[in-house]
Amino acid sequence: MSTLYTGIAELTTNDPERATPQDPLGRILDAALVVDDGLVAWTGPASAAPDADERIGVCGRAVLPGWVDSHSHLVFAGDRTSEFEARMAGMPYAAGGIATTVAATRSATDEDLRRSLRRHVAEARAQGTTTLETKTGYGLTPAEELRAALLAAEFTDEVTWLGAHIVAPGEEPADYLAELVGPQLQAVRDHVRWADVFCETGAFDEEQSRTVLLAARDAGLGLRVHGNQLGQGPGVRLAVEVGAASVDHCNHLSDADVDALAGSDTVATVLPACDLSTRQPLAPARRLLDAGATVAIASNCNPGSSYTSSVAFCVATAVLQMGLTVAEAVHAATAGGAQALRRTDVGRLTVGARADLHVLDAPSVTHLAYRPGVPLTHSVH
């Protein structure tokens, strides 16, 4: 059955054929859209809309693709409120806090973790997220990482193995690295699409990270990297070297890092809510875009450093504090996220794409930054 959506004040298509330097969103004003069998079948001006089996009016609201949140950590238990409070009082962020969540997650039952996943995914969808990646990384044993991967697959679109989050508590780094590229990778390889590594001081150095990434690539997994969050380091360079789909955080970049990203297919994923929560310098998204790099915006929803599922908040922050235009930020949180996941069926409303419609209770996407903090998602289709 086909459905005609009409009364759209502004339709964001992310159609490259409609996009211009002034409007990378390829917007259509006074628009309509036809959905057939869950896919976009037609877009254009309302005056030229074809017939359909049913009609839904959105009453002068804006429609855009659902958010593509390409970086989250949702398989967890426990609470790190006290760590956050201490950080807001001046304590520095360090990767070691992850161990607190590891202990709580290992102790949780499957149903505990399902309940948490269900709640967070529903929360994200209610705010316009329709495609969601999430990572393992709070189990850090073959059995626990497999458990996390299987649970994540029940609720999210893309699952990433992040056994290389930190060295498992009580393990020697060399022993844990051998487990990562041996039993742990073998346990999860058939249940995840991606592998990730936290290439950072306090987690994994360049050679350890390269070892994990190359083993994962040999196992047929796509690659992602946490890099350059806490200081300048090898994360970006390594991500480009191994052909990673994305390198995420990117707070501390040299000119060579920016040039490497601009000259590669590796997406620079920025995580504005995490930057605020950890009081790191905001990632230089403006500098990256000006250099020609592809930028994605994601929530990094996790209990320690970015406990929000609101991509809209991240978009508003990117506009108000990182120097992006509204169009650039919306593009980064939709088409940019899709590119970071190597997806062509989401993050756009073009013929043949998945009809993930995010209807705003506002006439344009500009209101996402114009009215920060206001819940503007009217509905998600």
Side-chain angles (χ1 to χ4, degrees), residues 260-345:
L261 287 166
S264 75
D265 292 328
T266 300
V267 175
T269 301
V270 299
L271 308 169
C274 181
D275 299 348
L276 296 178
S277 177
T278 58
R279 292 186 169 166
Q280 292 291 311
L282 290 164
R286 175 76 274 148
R287 184 174 158 211
L288 286 161
L289 284 174
D290 288 345
T294 300
V295 171
I297 292 172
S299 72
N300 190 25
C301 185
N302 77 84
S305 63
S306 184
Y307 197 14
T308 180
S309 56
S310 176
V311 175
F313 171 74
C314 298
V315 166
T317 300
V319 175
L320 297 173
Q321 298 195 48
M322 299 172 83
L324 271 61
T325 67
V326 173
E328 288 169 336
V330 169
H331 190 272
T334 51
Q339 190 163 341
L341 294 173
R342 297 297 190 256
R343 297 280 294 264
T344 59
D345 60 328

Side-chain angles (χ1 to χ4, degrees), residues 27 40 61 71 94 170 175 217 219 230 242 251 369:
R27 284 175 281 194
V40 177
R61 296 182 172 92
H71 184 129
D175 294 338
R217 188 172 69 185
L230 305 180
V242 300
N251 299 81

Side-chain angles (χ1 to χ4, degrees), residues 7-143:
I8 303 172
E10 176 191 86
L11 177 64
T12 292
T13 67
N14 284 337
D15 185 345
E17 295 186 5
R18 293 185 184 273
T20 66
Q22 296 74 32
D23 181 26
L25 300 180
R27 284 175 281 194
I28 307 171
L29 304 182
D30 189 17
L33 175 145
V34 175
V35 174
D36 195 353
D37 196 24
L39 303 177
V40 177
W42 181 89
T43 63
S47 60
D51 292 331
D53 297 319
E54 64 176 357
R55 175 186 294 252
I56 296 176
V58 301
C59 304
R61 296 182 172 92
V63 175
L64 65 155
W67 304 127
V68 180
D69 191 349
S70 61
H71 184 129
S72 74
H73 305 252
L74 298 182
V75 189
F76 71 87
D79 179 89
R80 285 161 69 182
T81 305
S82 58
E83 177 190 327
F84 173 80
E85 187 173 14
R87 198 161 61 242
M88 294 305 99
M91 293 292 290
Y93 172 72
I98 293 163
T100 303
T101 303
V102 171
T105 304
R106 287 176 174 179
S107 298
T109 67
D110 287 2
E111 194 48 46
D112 289 336
L113 296 176
R114 280 194 184 92
R115 190 178 303 112
S116 176
L117 273 161
R118 189 178 294 113
R119 177 168 68 88
H120 288 104
V121 170
E123 182 181 274
R125 184 170 177 83
Q127 299 175 89
T129 297
T130 53
T131 302
L132 187 59
E133 180 267 8
T134 204
K135 306 176 194 299
T136 69
Y138 294 127
L140 309 187
T141 68

